[in-house]
Amino acid sequence: MQPKSLTVDRSIGARRAAQEVRLAQQLYTFWNTGRQRYLDAAISPQFRDNTLPPGRPQGPAGPLAASKTFRAAVPDLTCELSDVLVTGDRITARLVFRGRYHRHLQRRPGRGPTSSSTPSTSSTSAPTGSWRTGTSRTTRRC
């Protein structure tokens, strides 16, 4: 998955920048496809979600559970990597999720219209080349 726009802090060097961009591509390809192999490539076993909602497991199982739950309600879900900003050990991304909400999600029935969600995420990557924390802020448009 290629970002539509990419901004990289050149002070981190070309090798580190490429590594950070690749991590972002793997993580957001997971959100686009739901395939665990991309999640496994992007996050470490010590991954910790700092914005964990009640009932979701901590660690790598959390994003996997979130994806499965959301894909059950929005089976044609896609994720577009619009903007990526790499600065030091921080990656900030703007994503666009699209899909038709067909099934129940958190006790709300699906109505079938196409919806779009544009969250911004900011994550810190470890020097080992894997995500160690995650935070997000989301705004929705439907």
Side-chain angles (χ1 to χ4, degrees):
M1 169 180 286
Q2 293 296 320
K4 287 187 170 189
S5 173
L6 175 63
T7 305
V8 177
D9 172 5
R10 292 185 184 174
S11 72
I12 67 172
R15 183 173 176 215
R16 179 67 190 256
Q19 180 183 26
E20 298 294 332
V21 170
R22 182 70 184 135
L23 282 172
Q25 289 173 311
Q26 290 170 327
L27 180 62
Y28 300 121
T29 297
F30 161 72
W31 286 109
N32 186 49
T33 65
R35 294 186 184 135
Q36 185 174 350
R37 68 181 176 175
Y38 294 110
L39 181 67
D40 292 345
I43 66 174
S44 74
Q46 292 78 32
F47 171 80
R48 182 162 179 78
D49 188 337
N50 293 325
T51 60
L52 192 68
R56 185 174 303 155
Q58 188 56 268
L64 192 58
S67 175
K68 286 180 180 180
T69 299
F70 199 63
R71 285 180 178 283
V74 185
D76 61 345
L77 180 69
T78 62
C79 173
E80 173 186 296
L81 185 53
S82 292
D83 301 295
V84 174
L85 173 65
V86 180
T87 55
D89 68 348
R90 184 157 308 268
I91 297 172
T92 303
R94 187 171 64 88
L95 314 169
V96 178
F97 287 91
R98 291 186 180 91
R100 284 187 281 292
Y101 177 33
H102 288 290
R103 299 187 183 105
H104 279 60
L105 179 66
Q106 298 177 342
R107 298 188 187 106
R108 288 179 242 154
R111 298 186 184 123
T114 300
S115 64
S116 176
S117 172
T118 308
S120 294
T121 68
S122 179
S123 300
T124 305
S125 64
T128 58
S130 58
W131 298 93
R132 64 177 182 224
T133 61
T135 60
S136 65
R137 296 175 302 281
T138 304
T139 56
R140 298 191 182 273
R141 324 180 282 237
C142 295

